[in-house]
Amino acid sequence: MNTVRTVAEVRAALAEPRRAGRSIGLVPTMGALHEGHLSLIRRARSECAVVVMSLFVNPTQFNEAGDLAAYPRDEHRDAQLAAAAGVDYLFAPAPDDVYPPGFATTVAVAHLTEPLEGAHRGRAHFDGVTTVVTKLFNIVSPDVAYFGQKDAQQAIVVRRLVADLNMAVRIEICPTVREADGLALSSRNVLLSAADRTRAASLHRTLQAVQHAVARGERDPSAAKAPGLAELTAADIEPDYLELVAIETLAPVDRIDGDVLAVVAARVGPARLIDNEIIRVARPGGAAPGTELSENGRP
Ligand code: PAF
C-alpha cells in the first residue's frame, strides 16, 4: 500500500490505472477504522482493480469543537488495517491541502439534509460532508464509492448529490456491521465507558422493538415507536430522535403503508450515537422484503 498526501500525488498515482481502463474504488473515511470500514474496503477490493481509501478528519462537518478534538486519530494503526484489508492507496491529506487559504465554496443538498441529523447538528454538518465528498470525488475520480448504511441519511444525501450533479460515480451502500449485542460499529464507540457500552446496545434493541411492532401489524407510527421508547427509557437514554421516515424523502410517515426507515440518535455518556433499520412492509404480490438500503432505498 502506498500513502499519498497531496492532490497532485493521488492524481499521478491513479493516472496509469485510469489510462489502462482499470476500475477505481474509493472508500472515504475519517479514520479510526473498525470492522464496518474494513467491510467497505473488502467489498471495494472484490469489485475494483484499484482501491483508494481516504483518511481525512473533515473539520467542516463537526458542529462541536470538542467533538472534533475528541475524535480518535491513529494513522499508523489505520494504515496497517487498510493495507491488510486490501487498500492500494491511502490518501491522507493535510487540512491545508483540502482547504487551502482562500477556500470559499460549499456544496449543499437541500431538503434531505434538513431533518434528523441536519436538525440536531445544524446544516453546516451536511454541507461539510457534501463539500468534502465532492472534493474527494473530483480528486480521485472513482468509478465506485462505498458508504455504510449506518450513516443512512449521509448515504441518501450522497446519492442525491451524485444524481443531481451528474457525477460519474456509482454509490454502493453496504450493510451496517454490528457487535454481538447489536451495537452498530462506530468510531465513537471507543469513547464509551463499560457501563455506557452496555447501555448503548439498547439503541439497536429499540429499532428491533419498533420492527417487531410493525411485524405484528401495527401501522400507526406513534404506537409502533412506543415499545422502542420504552427500551430507551429502561436504559436511561433520552433520544435526540426516534422516527419512522420515508426512505425517499426522510420525512416522518403518518402511516406505515410501505417500507420505512427507523432511525434513532442519542447521546450515551460522551458519545452521540446513531443507528437505523429499514422496516420492510410486504405488499400483497410485491417483491420479497429485504434488509438493506442498497436493495431499493434509492432516493
Ligand atoms: O462517514 C464519514 O466517515 C464521513 O462523513 C466522510 C464520508 C468520510 C466524509 O468526511
Side-chain angles (χ1 to χ4, degrees), residues 28-30 37 56 58 61 71 129 132-133 136 147 151 154:
T29 82
M30 297 203 298
H37 298 109
F56 179 63
N58 177 32
Q61 70 187 77
Y71 202 81
V129 171
V132 82
V133 166
L136 290 170
F147 291 82
D151 296 299
Q154 168 175 281

Side-chain angles (χ1 to χ4, degrees), residues 71-86:
Y71 202 81
R73 292 169 170 86
D74 187 344
E75 184 182 318
H76 181 68
R77 175 185 169 276
D78 288 340
Q80 285 184 326
L81 290 170

